[in-house]
Amino acid sequence: MSNIVAIVGRPNVGKSTFFNRLIQRREAIVDAVSGVTRDRHYGKSDWNGKEFSLIDTGGYVLGSDDVFEAEIDKQVELAIGEADAIIFMVDVEDGVTGMDEDVAELLRRVNKPVFLVVNKVDNGKRAKDAVEFYSLGLGDYFTVASINGSGTGELLDALVEALPEKEDVEEETLPRFAVVGRPNAGKSSFINALIGEDRYIVTDIAGTTRDSIDTKYNRFGFDFNLVDTAGIRRKSKVKEDLEFYSVMRSVRAIEHSDVCLIVLDATRGFDGQVQNIFWLAQRNRKGIVILVNKWDLVEKDHKSMKEYERVIKQQMEPFTDVPVVFISVLTKQRIYKAIETAVEVYKNRSKKIKTSKLNEIFLPIIESYPPPAYKAKYVKIKYIMQLPTPQPQFAFFCNLPQYVKEPYKRFLENKLREQFDFKGVPISVYMRKK
C-alpha cells in the first residue's frame, strides 16, 4: 500500500502548480482565483523507486464566513488526518501571513512528518528572504520554484526518506474486488445483500463506513475477496465532509484491488464525484464495473436503461468499453449478475494472448491500415507481443515509434478490443523500436 502525501497551505501559494509538477500531468485546475481548488485532486508520483499518492487540497482560511472556504477547511483537516506526510507550502513573495500562522498552528499538533516548502524562490535574494519562515516554528524549510521545478529534487529526497514503511501484506492469492463509490450509494448494503448478513453497519448517514474490510466470498465456482471501503464510525462522529473522505479511502482500496465495482446512486447519476473515482480506477489500470444502484426508484420505460447507459458512457470517453449493470440492493435485483460481470472482467484483465496469434491477426490489419506517414517517413510495424504485466499491455515494434500518434494507438486498442474480449479493462499500447 502506498503512502499518502497531502499538500496544504493558504490560498494562492502555488499548491496546484506544484501538484502538477510532481505528477507530471496538468490535472489540477491552476488559477489565481482564491479557492479554485474546491474539488480535491489526486495523483500518483514516485521518486527513487518509491511510489506515493498525492492530494492537492484547497486553500486553508480559518474562520471565514464563506461557505465554500469553510468546507475546504474541513477537507484540509481530513487530508492532514489521513496523510502519512504533509507538504506545507508558503509564498516567499508574501512572507509570513496570519493565514500561514493558522496553518502552522494546525500542523504543530500533528505527529507526522511536515515539510515546510517556500515557493517562488527562483533567485538568491528570495532565498535570503525565505529565512523569515523559521518564525513558523516548524524547523528547517525547503525552497522551490514550482513553476520550473527548482529545488524539487532535494525536497523529494527528504520526503521519501521520511515516509513510513508500510507493513508487508501477506501475499494474497485471492482476487480482490473493491466496492467503491460516493457515500450513501449503497456499497455496504450491496455486500450485505450478497453475503446474506449484516456484516457491515448500514445507516442513512453518508460516510458511516471508513476503513477497508475484506470478506472472502465464493460465487460461480470462483473465490475472491470483496473489499468494502468500510469501517465503523459512531453517528456522533460523522460530521465532516465525507464525500472527500470517501475518495481518499477509494484511493487506497483501488490501489490494492484487481476489479473495482463502482456503485452509483441512480437518482444522482454519474456525477463528478463518481467520475473522479472512475478515473482513479482507470489510471491505476484496474478492471471496472459500473453498478447503477437504486434502479427501483427511477421512473422508467423500455428505453430508460439504454439511454442511462449512453449518458454514462458519453462521460467516460474515450474509455467506454465498460460494463454497466443496473441493480437494486433493496430488491436484490441483478446483484449476482453484478458479481458474475466482475468475475468476467477479472478474467479479461488476466488474459494472456500468444504472440503467434497476435501477429497472425494484427499484421494483416496493420498492412491494410498502416500508421499515417509523418514528415514523408513511413512507419512499419513488424512485430507485436503482450508484455508480462498484471494488466493487458501490448508492445508494437516498429522502425519509427516516435512518429506513431495517439489516434493510431487508439485504433490499435479498438482492434484489440474487437478481436479479444477486454471489456471493463484499460489497455496500454506502446510503440517500441525494432
Side-chain angles (χ1 to χ4, degrees), residues 8-10 13-14 88-93 95-96 100 116-120 133 136 142:
V8 303
R10 63 176 175 82
V13 294
F88 172 26
M89 185 160 279
V90 292
D91 185 340
V92 73
E93 290 181 352
V96 177
D100 291 330
L116 176 59
V117 177
V118 186
N119 192 21
K120 305 180 185 177
F133 288 98
L136 292 174
F142 294 84

Side-chain angles (χ1 to χ4, degrees), residues 274-407:
V274 183
Q275 289 176 41
N276 198 356
I277 294 169
F278 171 80
W279 291 114
L280 274 172
Q282 188 272 340
R283 285 197 301 272
N284 279 273
R285 321 310 288 169
K286 305 301 182 181
I288 300 174
V289 180
I290 303 293
L291 304 184
V292 182
N293 188 26
K294 307 183 184 179
W295 190 240
D296 54 308
L297 301 181
V298 175
E299 289 187 20
K300 47 192 172 289
D301 56 29
H302 65 287
K303 295 181 181 178
S304 298
M305 198 176 286
K306 284 187 177 179
E307 178 60 20
Y308 203 106
E309 184 172 344
R310 184 193 66 78
V311 171
I312 289 176
K313 293 199 171 182
Q314 191 174 43
Q315 293 166 314
M316 289 178 182
E317 291 178 346
F319 178 39
T320 58
D321 190 19
V322 178
V324 179
V325 183
F326 295 82
I327 67 171
S328 168
V329 169
L330 192 63
T331 65
K332 297 193 175 182
Q333 183 183 29
R334 300 189 194 91
I335 61 170
Y336 298 113
K337 174 67 175 175
I339 291 299
E340 184 180 14
T341 305
V343 171
E344 290 170 1
V345 168
Y346 173 79
K347 290 177 179 177
N348 290 345
R349 187 172 183 264
S350 310
K351 187 178 295 180
K352 303 298 179 189
I353 302 167
K354 290 183 179 179
T355 301
S356 57
K357 188 171 184 181
L358 272 172
N359 285 273
E360 178 187 336
I361 291 173
F362 266 84
L363 289 180
I365 291 173
I366 292 166
E367 189 175 347
S368 300
Y369 301 96
Y374 185 75
K375 295 183 179 179
K377 294 184 178 179
Y378 293 89
V379 179
K380 295 182 180 179
I381 297 173
K382 299 291 187 181
Y383 183 74
I384 307 103
M385 67 174 291
Q386 183 173 0
L387 300 176
T389 53
Q391 64 278 349
Q393 298 186 338
F394 297 88
F396 289 74
F397 293 88
C398 59
N399 59 333
L400 299 167
Q402 68 274 25
Y403 291 154
V404 180
K405 305 303 178 185
E406 284 304 315

Side-chain angles (χ1 to χ4, degrees), residues 82 99 177 207 211 219 247 301 326 339 374 386 409 427:
E82 179 70 4
M99 287 186 284
F177 293 0
D211 302 303
R219 195 77 189 175
V247 177
D301 56 29
F326 295 82
I339 291 299
Y374 185 75
Q386 183 173 0
K409 290 181 184 178
I427 295 175

Side-chain angles (χ1 to χ4, degrees), residues 37-40 57-61 63-79 239-244:
T37 307
R38 286 175 177 163
D39 294 323
R40 305 290 60 77
T57 69
Y60 189 82
V61 183
S64 171
D65 293 330
D66 185 295
V67 65
F68 284 111
E69 287 181 341
E71 285 303 309
I72 289 169
D73 289 354
K74 291 180 187 176
Q75 295 183 6
V76 171
E77 290 165 12
L78 279 169
K239 296 177 181 176
E240 310 94 330
D241 183 340
L242 288 157
E243 291 191 14
F244 172 57

